[in-house]
Coordinates of all heavy atoms in Angstrom, one line a residue:
V38 N -34.1 2.8 7.1 CA -32.8 2.7 7.7 C -32.8 1.6 8.8 O -31.9 0.7 8.7 CB -32.3 4.0 8.3 CG1 -31.1 3.8 9.2 CG2 -32.0 5.0 7.3
F39 N -33.8 1.5 9.6 CA -33.9 0.6 10.6 C -34.1 -0.9 10.1 O -33.6 -1.8 10.6 CB -35.0 0.9 11.6 CG -34.6 2.1 12.5 CD1 -35.4 3.2 12.3 CD2 -33.5 2.0 13.3 CE1 -35.0 4.3 13.0 CE2 -33.2 3.2 14.0 CZ -33.9 4.3 13.9
M40 N -34.8 -1.0 8.9 CA -34.8 -2.3 8.2 C -33.5 -2.8 7.8 O -33.2 -4.0 8.0 CB -35.8 -2.1 7.0 CG -36.0 -3.4 6.4 SD -37.0 -4.5 7.3 CE -37.6 -5.5 6.1
Q41 N -32.6 -1.9 7.3 CA -31.3 -2.2 6.9 C -30.6 -2.7 8.1 O -29.8 -3.7 8.1 CB -30.6 -1.1 6.2 CG -31.1 -0.7 4.9 CD -30.5 0.5 4.3 OE1 -30.0 1.3 5.2 NE2 -30.6 0.7 3.0
Y42 N -30.7 -1.9 9.3 CA -30.0 -2.4 10.5 C -30.4 -3.8 10.9 O -29.6 -4.6 11.3 CB -30.2 -1.5 11.6 CG -29.6 0.0 11.5 CD1 -29.9 1.0 12.1 CD2 -28.3 0.1 10.6 CE1 -29.2 2.2 12.0 CE2 -27.7 1.2 10.5 CZ -28.1 2.4 11.2 OH -27.5 3.6 11.0
G43 N -31.7 -4.0 10.8 CA -32.2 -5.4 11.1 C -31.7 -6.4 10.3 O -31.2 -7.5 10.8
I44 N -31.6 -6.2 9.0 CA -31.1 -7.3 8.1 C -29.5 -7.4 8.4 O -29.0 -8.6 8.5 CB -31.2 -6.7 6.6 CG1 -32.8 -6.9 6.3 CG2 -30.4 -7.7 5.6 CD1 -33.0 -6.2 5.0
Y45 N -28.8 -6.4 8.6 CA -27.4 -6.5 8.8 C -27.1 -7.2 10.2 O -26.2 -7.9 10.3 CB -26.7 -5.1 8.9 CG -26.7 -4.4 7.7 CD1 -26.7 -3.0 7.6 CD2 -26.6 -4.9 6.4 CE1 -26.7 -2.2 6.4 CE2 -26.6 -4.3 5.3 CZ -26.7 -3.0 5.2 OH -26.7 -2.2 4.1
T46 N -28.0 -6.9 11.1 CA -27.9 -7.7 12.4 C -28.1 -9.1 12.3 O -27.5 -9.9 12.9 CB -28.8 -7.0 13.5 OG1 -28.5 -5.5 13.5 CG2 -28.7 -7.6 14.9
L47 N -29.2 -9.5 11.6 CA -29.4 -10.8 11.4 C -28.3 -11.5 10.6 O -27.9 -12.6 10.9 CB -30.7 -11.0 10.5 CG -32.0 -10.7 11.3 CD1 -33.2 -10.8 10.4 CD2 -32.2 -11.7 12.5
L48 N -27.7 -10.8 9.6 CA -26.6 -11.3 8.9 C -25.4 -11.5 9.8 O -24.6 -12.5 9.8 CB -26.2 -10.4 7.7 CG -25.1 -10.8 6.7 CD1 -25.6 -12.1 6.2 CD2 -24.8 -9.7 5.8
A49 N -25.2 -10.5 10.7 CA -24.1 -10.6 11.7 C -24.3 -11.8 12.6 O -23.4 -12.7 12.9 CB -24.0 -9.4 12.5
F50 N -25.6 -12.1 13.1 CA -25.9 -13.3 13.9 C -25.5 -14.6 13.1 O -24.9 -15.5 13.7 CB -27.3 -13.2 14.3 CG -27.5 -12.5 15.6 CD1 -28.1 -11.3 15.6 CD2 -27.0 -13.0 16.8 CE1 -28.4 -10.6 16.9 CE2 -27.2 -12.3 18.0 CZ -27.9 -11.1 18.0
F51 N -25.9 -14.6 11.9 CA -25.7 -15.8 11.0 C -24.2 -16.1 10.8 O -23.8 -17.2 11.0 CB -26.4 -15.5 9.6 CG -26.1 -16.8 8.7 CD1 -26.9 -17.9 8.9 CD2 -25.2 -16.7 7.8 CE1 -26.6 -19.0 8.0 CE2 -24.9 -17.8 6.9 CZ -25.7 -18.8 7.0
I52 N -23.5 -15.0 10.5 CA -22.0 -15.2 10.3 C -21.4 -15.6 11.7 O -20.5 -16.4 11.6 CB -21.4 -13.9 9.8 CG1 -21.9 -13.7 8.4 CG2 -19.9 -14.0 9.9 CD1 -21.5 -12.2 7.7
D53 N -21.8 -14.9 12.7 CA -21.2 -15.3 14.0 C -21.5 -16.8 14.5 O -20.6 -17.4 14.9 CB -21.8 -14.3 15.2 CG -21.1 -14.5 16.5 OD1 -19.9 -14.5 16.6 OD2 -21.9 -14.7 17.4
K54 N -22.7 -17.2 14.3 CA -23.1 -18.5 14.6 C -22.4 -19.6 13.7 O -22.0 -20.6 14.2 CB -24.6 -18.6 14.6 CG -25.1 -19.9 15.1 CD -24.9 -20.2 16.5 CE -25.7 -21.5 16.9 NZ -25.3 -22.0 18.2
N55 N -22.6 -19.4 12.4 CA -22.1 -20.5 11.5 C -20.7 -20.4 11.1 O -20.1 -21.5 10.8 CB -23.0 -20.4 10.3 CG -24.5 -20.8 10.7 OD1 -24.7 -21.7 11.4 ND2 -25.4 -20.0 10.2
L56 N -20.1 -19.2 11.0 CA -18.7 -19.1 10.5 C -17.7 -18.9 11.6 O -16.6 -19.5 11.5 CB -18.7 -18.0 9.4 CG -19.6 -18.2 8.1 CD1 -19.3 -17.0 7.3 CD2 -19.2 -19.5 7.4
L57 N -18.0 -18.1 12.5 CA -17.2 -17.7 13.5 C -17.2 -18.5 14.8 O -16.4 -18.4 15.8 CB -17.2 -16.2 13.8 CG -17.0 -15.2 12.7 CD1 -17.2 -13.8 13.1 CD2 -15.5 -15.4 12.2
N58 N -18.3 -19.3 14.8 CA -18.6 -20.1 16.1 C -18.6 -19.4 17.4 O -18.0 -19.7 18.4 CB -17.6 -21.3 16.2 CG -17.7 -22.2 15.0 OD1 -18.9 -22.5 14.6 ND2 -16.6 -22.8 14.5
Q59 N -19.3 -18.2 17.3 CA -19.4 -17.2 18.4 C -18.1 -16.9 19.0 O -18.0 -16.7 20.2 CB -20.4 -17.8 19.5 CG -21.7 -18.0 19.0 CD -22.6 -18.7 19.9 OE1 -22.2 -19.3 20.8 NE2 -23.9 -18.5 19.8
M60 N -17.1 -16.5 18.1 CA -15.8 -16.1 18.6 C -15.8 -14.7 19.2 O -16.5 -13.9 18.7 CB -14.9 -16.2 17.4 CG -13.5 -15.8 17.6 SD -12.4 -15.8 16.1 CE -13.1 -14.5 15.1
C61 N -15.1 -14.5 20.2 CA -14.9 -13.2 20.7 C -13.9 -12.3 19.9 O -12.9 -12.8 19.5 CB -14.1 -13.3 22.2 SG -13.7 -11.8 22.8
I62 N -14.5 -11.2 19.5 CA -13.7 -10.4 18.5 C -13.0 -9.2 19.3 O -12.0 -8.9 18.9 CB -14.6 -9.8 17.4 CG1 -15.3 -10.9 16.6 CG2 -14.0 -8.7 16.6 CD1 -16.3 -10.5 15.6
F63 N -13.6 -8.8 20.4 CA -13.0 -7.7 21.2 C -13.4 -7.9 22.6 O -14.3 -8.3 23.0 CB -13.7 -6.5 20.6 CG -13.2 -5.2 21.3 CD1 -11.9 -4.8 20.9 CD2 -14.0 -4.5 22.0 CE1 -11.5 -3.5 21.5 CE2 -13.6 -3.2 22.5 CZ -12.3 -2.8 22.3
T64 N -12.4 -7.7 23.5 CA -12.5 -7.7 24.8 C -12.2 -6.3 25.5 O -11.1 -5.7 25.2 CB -11.5 -8.7 25.5 OG1 -11.7 -10.1 24.9 CG2 -11.7 -8.8 27.0
F65 N -13.1 -5.9 26.3 CA -13.0 -4.6 27.0 C -13.4 -4.7 28.5 O -14.6 -5.0 28.7 CB -13.8 -3.5 26.2 CG -13.6 -2.1 26.9 CD1 -12.5 -1.3 26.7 CD2 -14.7 -1.5 27.5 CE1 -12.3 -0.1 27.3 CE2 -14.6 -0.4 28.1 CZ -13.5 0.4 28.0
K66 N -12.4 -4.5 29.4 CA -12.7 -4.5 30.8 C -13.6 -5.8 31.2 O -14.6 -5.7 31.7 CB -13.6 -3.3 31.2 CG -12.7 -2.0 31.2 CD -13.5 -0.9 31.8 CE -12.6 0.3 31.7 NZ -13.1 1.5 32.4
D67 N -12.9 -6.9 30.9 CA -13.6 -8.3 31.2 C -14.8 -8.5 30.5 O -15.6 -9.5 31.0 CB -13.6 -8.4 32.8 CG -12.3 -8.4 33.5 OD1 -11.5 -8.8 32.9 OD2 -12.3 -7.9 34.6
Q68 N -15.1 -7.8 29.5 CA -16.4 -8.0 28.7 C -16.0 -8.5 27.4 O -15.1 -7.8 26.7 CB -17.3 -6.8 28.6 CG -17.8 -6.2 29.8 CD -19.3 -6.3 29.9 OE1 -19.9 -6.4 28.9 NE2 -19.9 -6.3 31.2
T69 N -16.7 -9.6 26.8 CA -16.2 -10.0 25.6 C -17.4 -9.7 24.5 O -18.6 -9.7 24.9 CB -16.1 -11.6 25.5 OG1 -17.3 -12.2 26.0 CG2 -14.9 -12.0 26.4
F70 N -16.9 -9.2 23.4 CA -18.0 -8.8 22.4 C -17.8 -9.7 21.2 O -16.7 -9.9 20.6 CB -17.6 -7.3 22.0 CG -17.9 -6.3 23.2 CD1 -16.8 -5.9 23.8 CD2 -19.0 -5.8 23.4 CE1 -16.9 -5.1 24.9 CE2 -19.3 -5.0 24.4 CZ -18.2 -4.5 25.1
T71 N -18.9 -10.1 20.7 CA -19.0 -10.9 19.6 C -19.4 -10.0 18.3 O -19.8 -8.9 18.6 CB -20.0 -12.1 19.6 OG1 -21.3 -11.5 20.0 CG2 -19.6 -13.0 20.7
L72 N -19.5 -10.5 17.1 CA -19.8 -9.7 15.9 C -21.2 -9.0 16.1 O -21.3 -7.8 15.8 CB -19.7 -10.5 14.7 CG -20.0 -9.8 13.4 CD1 -19.0 -8.8 13.1 CD2 -20.0 -10.8 12.3
P73 N -22.3 -9.7 16.5 CA -23.5 -9.1 16.6 C -23.6 -7.9 17.6 O -24.2 -7.0 17.3 CB -24.5 -10.2 17.0 CG -23.8 -11.5 16.6 CD -22.3 -11.2 16.8
V74 N -22.9 -8.1 18.7 CA -22.9 -7.1 19.7 C -22.1 -5.9 19.2 O -22.6 -4.8 19.3 CB -22.3 -7.7 21.0 CG1 -22.1 -6.5 22.1 CG2 -23.1 -8.8 21.7
L75 N -21.0 -6.1 18.6 CA -20.3 -5.0 18.0 C -21.1 -4.2 16.9 O -21.0 -3.0 16.8 CB -19.0 -5.4 17.4 CG -17.9 -5.8 18.4 CD1 -16.6 -6.3 17.7 CD2 -17.5 -4.6 19.2
A76 N -21.8 -5.0 16.1 CA -22.7 -4.4 15.1 C -23.8 -3.5 15.7 O -24.0 -2.4 15.3 CB -23.3 -5.5 14.2
I77 N -24.4 -4.0 16.8 CA -25.4 -3.2 17.4 C -24.8 -1.9 18.0 O -25.4 -0.8 18.0 CB -26.2 -4.0 18.5 CG1 -27.0 -5.1 17.8 CG2 -27.0 -3.2 19.4 CD1 -27.5 -6.2 18.7
W78 N -23.7 -2.0 18.7 CA -23.0 -0.8 19.2 C -22.8 0.2 18.1 O -22.8 1.3 18.2 CB -21.6 -1.2 20.0 CG -21.9 -1.6 21.4 CD1 -22.0 -2.9 21.8 CD2 -22.1 -0.8 22.5 NE1 -22.2 -2.9 23.2 CE2 -22.3 -1.6 23.6 CE3 -22.1 0.6 22.6 CZ2 -22.6 -1.1 24.9 CZ3 -22.4 1.1 23.9 CH2 -22.5 0.3 25.0
L79 N -22.2 -0.4 17.0 CA -21.9 0.5 15.9 C -23.1 1.2 15.3 O -23.1 2.4 15.0 CB -21.2 -0.3 14.7 CG -20.9 0.5 13.5 CD1 -19.8 1.5 13.7 CD2 -20.4 -0.5 12.4
F80 N -24.2 0.5 15.1 CA -25.5 1.1 14.6 C -26.0 2.2 15.7 O -26.5 3.3 15.3 CB -26.5 0.0 14.4 CG -26.1 -1.0 13.4 CD1 -26.7 -2.2 13.4 CD2 -25.3 -0.7 12.4 CE1 -26.3 -3.3 12.5 CE2 -24.9 -1.6 11.4 CZ -25.5 -3.0 11.5
T81 N -25.9 1.9 16.9 CA -26.4 2.8 17.9 C -25.6 4.1 18.0 O -26.0 5.3 17.9 CB -26.3 2.1 19.3 OG1 -27.0 0.9 19.3 CG2 -26.8 3.1 20.4
A82 N -24.2 4.0 17.8 CA -23.3 5.1 17.8 C -23.6 6.0 16.6 O -23.7 7.2 16.6 CB -21.8 4.6 17.9
S83 N -23.7 5.3 15.4 CA -24.0 6.1 14.2 C -25.3 6.8 14.2 O -25.4 7.9 13.8 CB -23.9 5.2 13.0 OG -25.0 4.4 12.9
E84 N -26.3 6.3 14.9 CA -27.6 6.9 15.0 C -27.5 8.1 16.0 O -28.1 9.1 15.8 CB -28.7 6.0 15.4 CG -29.2 5.1 14.3 CD -29.7 5.9 13.1 OE1 -30.5 6.9 13.3 OE2 -29.3 5.7 12.0
I85 N -26.8 7.9 17.1 CA -26.6 9.0 18.1 C -25.9 10.2 17.5 O -26.3 11.3 17.6 CB -25.9 8.5 19.3 CG1 -26.8 7.6 20.1 CG2 -25.4 9.7 20.2 CD1 -26.2 6.9 21.3
W86 N -24.9 9.9 16.7 CA -24.1 10.9 16.0 C -24.9 11.6 15.0 O -24.9 12.9 14.8 CB -22.9 10.3 15.3 CG -21.9 11.3 14.7 CD1 -21.9 11.8 13.5 CD2 -21.0 12.0 15.4 NE1 -21.0 12.8 13.3 CE2 -20.3 12.9 14.6 CE3 -20.6 12.0 16.7 CZ2 -19.3 13.7 14.9 CZ3 -19.6 12.9 17.2 CH2 -19.0 13.8 16.2
S87 N -25.7 10.9 14.3 CA -26.7 11.5 13.2 C -27.7 12.4 13.9 O -28.1 13.4 13.4 CB -27.4 10.3 12.5 OG -28.3 10.9 11.6
I88 N -28.2 12.0 15.0 CA -29.2 12.8 15.7 C -28.5 14.1 16.1 O -29.2 15.1 16.1 CB -29.8 12.1 17.0 CG1 -30.7 10.9 16.5 CG2 -30.6 13.0 17.9 CD1 -31.1 10.0 17.6
G89 N -27.3 14.0 16.6 CA -26.6 15.3 17.0 C -26.4 16.2 15.9 O -26.5 17.4 16.0
E90 N -26.0 15.6 14.7 CA -25.9 16.5 13.5 C -27.2 17.1 13.0 O -27.1 18.2 12.7 CB -25.3 15.6 12.3 CG -23.9 15.2 12.5 CD -23.4 14.4 11.3 OE1 -24.2 13.7 10.7 OE2 -22.2 14.4 11.1
N91 N -28.3 16.3 13.2 CA -29.7 16.9 12.8 C -30.0 18.1 13.8 O -30.6 19.0 13.3 CB -30.7 15.8 12.9 CG -30.5 14.9 11.7 OD1 -29.8 15.1 10.7 ND2 -31.1 13.7 11.9
I92 N -29.7 17.9 15.1 CA -30.0 18.9 16.0 C -29.1 20.2 15.7 O -29.7 21.3 15.8 CB -29.8 18.4 17.5 CG1 -30.9 17.4 17.8 CG2 -29.8 19.6 18.4 CD1 -30.7 16.6 19.1
E93 N -27.9 19.9 15.4 CA -27.0 21.1 15.1 C -27.5 21.8 13.8 O -27.5 23.1 13.8 CB -25.6 20.6 14.9 CG -24.6 21.6 14.6 CD -23.1 21.1 14.5 OE1 -23.0 20.0 13.9 OE2 -22.3 21.7 15.0
E94 N -27.9 21.0 12.9 CA -28.4 21.7 11.6 C -29.6 22.5 11.8 O -29.9 23.5 11.1 CB -28.7 20.6 10.6 CG -28.8 21.1 9.2 CD -28.9 19.8 8.3 OE1 -28.0 19.1 8.1 OE2 -30.0 19.6 7.6
A95 N -30.4 22.0 12.8 CA -31.7 22.8 13.1 C -31.3 24.0 14.1 O -32.3 24.7 14.5 CB -32.7 22.0 13.9
G96 N -30.1 24.3 14.4 CA -29.7 25.4 15.3 C -29.4 25.2 16.7 O -29.2 25.9 17.5
G97 N -29.5 23.8 17.0 CA -29.4 23.4 18.4 C -27.8 23.0 18.7 O -27.0 23.3 18.0
V98 N -27.6 22.4 19.9 CA -26.2 22.1 20.3 C -26.1 20.6 19.9 O -26.9 19.8 20.4 CB -26.0 22.3 21.7 CG1 -24.7 21.9 22.2 CG2 -26.2 23.9 22.0
N99 N -24.9 20.3 19.3 CA -24.6 18.9 19.0 C -23.8 18.3 20.1 O -22.6 18.4 20.3 CB -23.7 18.7 17.7 CG -23.5 17.4 17.3 OD1 -23.7 16.4 18.0 ND2 -23.1 17.2 15.9
Y100 N -24.5 17.7 21.2 CA -23.8 17.1 22.2 C -22.8 16.0 22.0 O -21.8 16.0 22.7 CB -24.8 16.8 23.4 CG -25.5 18.0 24.0 CD1 -26.8 18.3 23.8 CD2 -24.7 18.8 24.9 CE1 -27.4 19.4 24.3 CE2 -25.4 19.9 25.5 CZ -26.7 20.2 25.2 OH -27.3 21.3 25.7
P101 N -23.1 15.1 21.1 CA -22.1 14.1 20.9 C -20.8 14.6 20.4 O -19.7 14.2 20.7 CB -22.7 13.2 19.8 CG -24.2 13.3 20.0 CD -24.5 14.8 20.5
K102 N -20.9 15.7 19.6 CA -19.7 16.4 19.1 C -19.0 17.1 20.3 O -17.7 17.1 20.3 CB -20.1 17.4 18.0 CG -19.0 18.0 17.3 CD -19.5 18.9 16.1 CE -18.5 19.2 15.0 NZ -19.2 20.1 14.0
R103 N -19.7 17.7 21.3 CA -19.1 18.4 22.4 C -18.4 17.3 23.3 O -17.5 17.7 24.1 CB -20.1 19.1 23.2 CG -20.5 20.5 22.4 CD -21.3 21.2 23.3 NE -21.3 22.5 22.7 CZ -21.5 23.6 23.4 NH1 -21.7 23.5 24.7 NH2 -21.6 24.8 22.8
L104 N -18.7 16.1 23.2 CA -18.3 15.1 24.2 C -17.0 14.4 23.6 O -16.5 13.5 24.3 CB -19.3 14.0 24.5 CG -20.5 14.5 25.2 CD1 -21.6 13.4 25.4 CD2 -20.1 15.0 26.6
I105 N -16.6 14.8 22.4 CA -15.4 14.1 21.8 C -14.2 14.3 22.7 O -13.3 13.4 22.7 CB -15.2 14.7 20.4 CG1 -16.3 14.2 19.5 CG2 -13.9 14.4 19.9 CD1 -16.2 14.8 18.1
H106 N -14.1 15.5 23.4 CA -12.9 15.6 24.2 C -12.8 14.6 25.3 O -11.6 14.5 25.9 CB -12.9 17.1 24.8 CG -13.9 17.3 25.8 ND1 -15.2 17.6 25.7 CD2 -13.7 17.2 27.3 CE1 -15.8 17.7 26.8 NE2 -15.0 17.5 27.8
L107 N -13.8 13.9 25.6 CA -13.6 12.8 26.6 C -13.0 11.5 26.1 O -12.7 10.7 26.9 CB -15.1 12.6 27.2 CG -15.7 13.7 27.9 CD1 -17.1 13.2 28.3 CD2 -14.9 14.1 29.1
I108 N -12.9 11.4 24.8 CA -12.3 10.3 24.2 C -10.8 10.4 24.1 O -10.3 11.5 24.0 CB -13.0 10.1 22.6 CG1 -14.5 10.0 22.8 CG2 -12.3 8.9 22.0 CD1 -15.2 9.9 21.5
D109 N -10.1 9.2 24.0 CA -8.7 9.2 23.9 C -8.2 10.1 22.7 O -9.0 10.1 21.7 CB -8.2 7.8 23.8 CG -6.7 7.7 23.9 OD1 -6.2 7.7 25.0 OD2 -6.1 7.6 22.8
K110 N -7.0 10.8 22.8 CA -6.6 11.7 21.7 C -6.5 11.0 20.4 O -6.9 11.6 19.4 CB -5.3 12.2 22.2 CG -4.7 13.1 21.2 CD -5.4 14.5 21.2 CE -4.7 15.5 20.2 NZ -5.6 16.5 19.8
K111 N -5.9 9.8 20.3 CA -5.9 9.2 19.0 C -7.2 9.0 18.3 O -7.3 9.0 17.1 CB -5.0 7.9 19.1 CG -5.8 6.8 19.8 CD -4.8 5.6 20.0 CE -5.4 4.4 20.8 NZ -4.6 3.4 20.8
Y112 N -8.3 8.8 19.1 CA -9.6 8.6 18.4 C -10.2 9.9 18.0 O -11.1 10.2 17.3 CB -10.5 7.8 19.4 CG -10.0 6.4 19.6 CD1 -9.5 6.0 20.9 CD2 -9.8 5.5 18.5 CE1 -8.9 4.7 21.1 CE2 -9.2 4.2 18.7 CZ -8.9 3.8 20.0 OH -8.4 2.6 20.2
Q113 N -9.9 11.0 18.9 CA -10.3 12.3 18.6 C -10.0 12.8 17.2 O -10.8 13.5 16.5 CB -9.8 13.4 19.6 CG -10.4 13.3 21.0 CD -9.8 14.3 21.9 OE1 -9.3 15.3 21.4 NE2 -9.9 14.1 23.2
D114 N -8.8 12.4 16.8 CA -8.3 12.7 15.4 C -9.2 12.3 14.3 O -9.3 12.8 13.3 CB -6.8 12.5 15.2 CG -5.9 13.2 16.2 OD1 -6.3 14.2 16.6 OD2 -4.7 12.7 16.3
I115 N -9.7 11.0 14.5 CA -10.6 10.4 13.6 C -11.8 11.3 13.3 O -12.2 11.5 12.2 CB -11.0 9.0 14.0 CG1 -9.8 8.1 14.0 CG2 -12.1 8.4 13.1 CD1 -10.1 6.7 14.8
F116 N -12.4 11.7 14.5 CA -13.7 12.5 14.4 C -13.3 13.9 13.7 O -14.1 14.4 12.9 CB -14.3 12.8 15.7 CG -14.9 11.6 16.3 CD1 -14.3 10.8 17.2 CD2 -16.1 11.0 15.7 CE1 -14.9 9.6 17.7 CE2 -16.7 9.9 16.2 CZ -16.0 9.1 17.2
K117 N -12.1 14.5 14.1 CA -11.8 15.8 13.5 C -11.5 15.7 12.1 O -11.8 16.7 11.3 CB -10.7 16.3 14.3 CG -11.0 16.7 15.8 CD -9.8 17.3 16.5 CE -10.2 17.6 17.9 NZ -9.1 18.1 18.7
K118 N -10.9 14.7 11.6 CA -10.7 14.6 10.2 C -11.9 14.4 9.4 O -12.1 14.9 8.3 CB -9.7 13.2 9.9 CG -8.4 13.4 10.4 CD -7.6 12.2 10.1 CE -6.2 12.3 10.7 NZ -5.4 11.1 10.7
N119 N -12.9 13.7 9.9 CA -14.1 13.6 9.2 C -15.0 14.9 9.2 O -15.7 15.2 8.3 CB -15.0 12.5 9.9 CG -14.5 11.2 9.7 OD1 -13.8 10.9 8.7 ND2 -14.9 10.2 10.5
N120 N -14.7 15.7 10.1 CA -15.5 17.1 10.3 C -14.7 18.2 9.6 O -15.0 19.3 9.8 CB -15.8 17.3 11.7 CG -16.9 16.4 12.1 OD1 -17.8 15.9 11.4 ND2 -16.8 15.9 13.4
N121 N -13.4 17.9 9.1 CA -12.6 19.0 8.6 C -12.3 20.2 9.6 O -12.3 21.3 9.2 CB -13.2 19.5 7.3 CG -13.2 18.5 6.2 OD1 -12.3 17.7 6.0 ND2 -14.2 18.5 5.4
E122 N -12.1 19.8 10.8 CA -11.8 20.8 11.9 C -10.3 20.9 12.0 O -9.5 20.1 11.9 CB -12.4 20.4 13.1 CG -14.0 20.5 13.0 CD -14.7 20.0 14.3 OE1 -14.0 19.6 15.4 OE2 -15.8 19.8 14.3

């Protein structure tokens, strides 16, 4: 899995540098995010979510799932639809 993330990240850097000319894709609180940065955030979030699911499956508490209520309501619905809750 981490080899795939590495390849995707290198691909994101290549696309960002050669095609997008390091264009800002997203701005949040005076921080600009380029494609590689967003890719790393996405990979990190998916791994944290996966770890939470694995802990829950083993009988523990899925903390990422418990923290969903801190997210804006419109984004909470995305997680709930995926979990059939």
Side-chain angles (χ1 to χ4, degrees):
V38 168
F39 293 112
M40 181 69 159
Q41 291 173 340
Y42 287 161
I44 291 170
Y45 295 147
T46 303
L47 289 175
L48 185 61
F50 274 108
F51 177 79
I52 291 170
D53 185 53
K54 179 73 174 163
N55 295 314
L56 300 177
L57 300 177
N58 295 322
Q59 298 177 336
M60 177 179 69
C61 171
I62 295 178
F63 182 69
T64 303
F65 180 73
K66 293 189 178 185
D67 297 331
Q68 297 245 340
T69 59
F70 295 96
T71 58
L72 182 63
V74 173
L75 287 175
I77 291 170
W78 276 99
L79 177 67
F80 299 152
T81 303
S83 70
E84 282 303 311
I85 290 172
W86 190 263
S87 176
I88 290 168
E90 286 180 338
N91 291 340
I92 291 172
E93 183 179 40
E94 197 173 290
V98 177
N99 185 348
Y100 288 108
K102 196 176 192 179
R103 286 191 165 206
L104 295 175
I105 289 177
H106 73 279
L107 298 175
I108 301 173
D109 191 78
K110 180 68 175 159
K111 64 181 176 182
Y112 299 115
Q113 287 180 20
D114 294 339
I115 294 170
F116 290 106
K117 290 180 182 178
K118 287 177 187 171
N119 289 337
N120 292 325
N121 295 323
E122 293 178 2

